[in-house]
Structure formats: C-alpha cells, structure tokens
Amino acid sequence: MTRTRFAPSPTGELHLGHAYAAKVAYDLAREHNGHFLLRHEDIDSSRVREIYYSQIEEDLRWLGLNWDGDALRQSHRQDAYRDALEILKQRGLVYPCFCTRKDIQQSLSAPHGLTEHIYPGICRDIPASESAQRIAEGDAHAWRFNSNLAALIHGELSFHDLRFGKTQVNPDANGDAVLARKDIGIAYHLAVVVDDAFQNITHVTRGDDLLESTHIHRQLQAVLGFPEPTYLHHRCICDENGKRLAKRDDARSIRTLREQGHTPEGIKINL
Ligand code: GLU
C-alpha cells in the first residue's frame, strides 16, 4: 500500500510551492490507490502560530487535496523522539555539543575551516566523563550525530529516487548534524525519520532543496532499524527570478490567490 505525506510547518500561509508539494504527494498516493497523510511539522514552538494549522487544512481542502485520517502533530510526539534519541545515545552514535553559534563560526573561519554548514567536530572527542560532568552542571548542549561512526556500523547505503535514480549515501553530506537542539530537544532530521517510519510512509516526496538531507535520513533509518522508503525529490516552485518561493512571498499564498478569484483547478493546472 502506497503511503505518502505532506509535511508543512504551521509557521506561515501555504503558498504555491506548498500546493505543488502537496499535489505531488497526493497524486502519487491516489495513482496507486494509496493513502495521503498530513503531518504538521511544529516542533519549533517559537515559530508556530495556532492560526496556521486550520488555515493549512482549509487551503488543502479548498484545493481538493484531502488527506486520509487525522493530521499528525509533531508536538505530540516528544516521547517517540526521546526514545529514538535514547537508543542513539546508548549506542554511542550521538554526542553532546556545547558549542555556541559563535564557537562554530570562529572555528570555520580558521584556516582548516570546512564547508560552511558542516560542523567542524569541536565536541566530538570530549571524554564521556567530562561531558557527563558538564551536563550535570547544567551546561546547555545539543546532541549531534556521529555520522562517520554510524557509517562504520551500517556500511554502504544508498537511496532510490524516482527522479534521480540510485544515489550512494555520503556520510559527510551533512556532517555531524544536530539531532536534538539545545532549545527544543529535537531537530528536523530525527523527527522526520521517526515519523516517516511511524506513519509507514512508503514514498517520501519533497522539494529537491532537501535532497542532501536524505543522506543523513538514510543513515538514521539504517541505525534505528527503520524501513527504507522510496524518494521523490521534486522541483521547487520558483519566482520569475528563479528563486525558490518562501513564506514571505505573500502574493503567492493560496489564500491571496483564492481571494483574487483563482479557482483550485486553475491553480493546480498551472503548477
Ligand atoms: N517541513 C518540511 C518543509 O516544510 C518538510 C520536510 C520533508 O518533507 O521532509 O519543507
């Protein structure tokens, strides 16, 4: 049974880029008589606004992109994320990171600095006794994935994308990414992997701007013993200048288009 999902964050109005992402997931599920699910990715409570849950649902219904069952909220799934993180801790696959943004920036501008978004590993080799003491003293910390150690355990990995074919997983693609943020105790990569498994998602569809994330998602699936979904990284909807649409592009919000008299059919045909 094919199961897909649309996973917006209730931090703004749906725009054409979201409508396209939702339509891709919807069409793929319907094509195979499968299920299309909705998940609100609302872990970052500082950015979430209550109003957007209902607006997103209303816009999807108006577009005729009805989902099956109840929408899942990531904010209700903290226990599941904690359990997954605990497993990774016990297996030594995550380590506490006490760095501030400034520490990381300074290290990256040093001569040995690596690619901008790749963590330079400052806290990777802090002895366990020392980090345990710092945690006990209340030193704020995130948890980072030890991606190269994980690679030694899971060995060669790949993923299959319906558009791009087979890709070999590169453990360095995201470096030691944060799996649990200092402020909210969880981060996108771990939450999305735990929930895709929980919701039995067979086909993960999302914009190709997230293609790189799939490398770490496959690693996490492998070490947590989750099934491997098929991927479809679709194109992102861009504006006239080729820039990916973002939440601030209010002119293209579904709500505005609807108020301007556009129809759901008209919008979907033009996506
Ligand atoms: N919440 C993510 C977004 O809005 C979706 C990520 C995903 O589909 O994995 O881009």
Side-chain angles (χ1 to χ4, degrees):
M1 160 80 82
T2 299
R3 286 167 71 87
T4 66
R5 79 327 190 253
F6 173 53
S9 293
T11 54
E13 294 193 353
L14 283 198
H15 56 58
L16 283 177
H18 294 112
Y20 182 66
K23 185 176 175 300
V24 168
Y26 177 90
D27 287 349
L28 187 63
R30 296 294 174 245
E31 214 173 282
H32 296 96
N33 290 322
H35 286 149
F36 167 64
L37 309 184
L38 174 62
R39 177 164 77 227
H40 291 291
E41 301 216 321
D42 58 349
I43 50 174
D44 191 347
S45 54
S46 66
R47 294 178 57 232
V48 166
R49 296 286 169 272
E50 193 57 40
I51 178 85
Y52 293 127
Y53 293 99
S54 50
Q55 281 197 7
I56 287 171
E57 296 188 3
E58 207 184 301
D59 286 348
L60 286 175
R61 283 199 198 95
W62 180 74
L63 285 165
L65 302 174
N66 294 302
W67 60 98
D68 298 298
D70 292 332
L72 187 75
R73 290 190 181 198
Q74 289 195 320
S75 54
H76 295 172
R77 303 258 312 133
Q78 299 295 350
D79 290 351
Y81 306 145
R82 207 168 301 130
D83 291 350
L85 186 64
E86 199 49 46
I87 292 172
L88 297 173
K89 282 183 197 173
Q90 276 166 15
R91 298 184 60 191
L93 291 173
V94 285
Y95 60 88
C97 172
F98 303 92
C99 290
T100 60
R101 220 174 270 264
K102 205 168 143 212
D103 294 334
I104 298 172
Q105 267 159 9
Q106 272 169 0
S107 163
L108 287 174
S109 55
H112 59 275
L114 299 164
T115 338
E116 243 174 65
H117 68 288
I118 302 288
Y119 176 67
I122 303 164
C123 291
R124 192 186 300 130
D125 298 318
I126 296 180
S129 55
E130 185 186 327
S131 47
Q133 192 185 339
R134 287 178 72 171
I135 291 173
E137 283 164 1
D139 207 343
H141 58 284
W143 287 90
R144 287 185 179 274
F145 189 47
N146 194 331
S147 57
N148 281 301
L149 183 60
L152 288 178
I153 292 167
H154 60 60
E156 293 264 299
L157 274 182
S158 59
F159 57 90
H160 184 73
D161 184 284
L162 296 176
R163 181 175 161 210
F164 298 114
K166 186 176 166 182
T167 304
Q168 211 64 35
V169 166
N170 172 12
D172 295 322
N174 299 271
D176 289 357
V178 169
L179 299 187
R181 281 165 45 176
K182 263 184 199 175
D183 53 349
I184 55 172
I186 179 64
Y188 163 69
H189 294 307
L190 186 57
V192 81
V193 163
V194 168
D195 287 341
D196 283 338
F198 174 69
Q199 295 188 288
N200 296 312
I201 301 302
T202 59
H203 292 72
V204 172
T205 65
R206 60 181 171 218
D208 53 17
D209 56 328
L210 285 169
L211 188 57
E212 206 164 72
S213 299
T214 301
H215 292 259
I216 185 168
H217 296 181
R218 280 293 299 124
Q219 288 197 275
L220 288 169
Q221 287 154 3
V223 295
L224 290 168
F226 293 155
E228 175 187 351
T230 298
Y231 287 88
L232 172 56
H233 291 92
H234 55 73
R235 68 183 169 87
C236 291
I237 302 267
C238 296
D239 64 15
E240 305 74 33
N241 306 317
K243 235 182 90 242
R244 180 176 184 257
L245 285 189
K247 297 224 158 101
R248 58 185 174 279
D249 297 314
D250 285 341
R252 290 179 188 77
S253 84
I254 302 303
R255 191 149 297 257
T256 308
L257 294 169
R258 176 179 175 176
E259 280 161 14
Q260 288 170 348
H262 291 269
T263 63
E265 290 66 35
I267 290 177
K268 285 193 284 186
I269 281 171
N270 284 310
L271 284 173

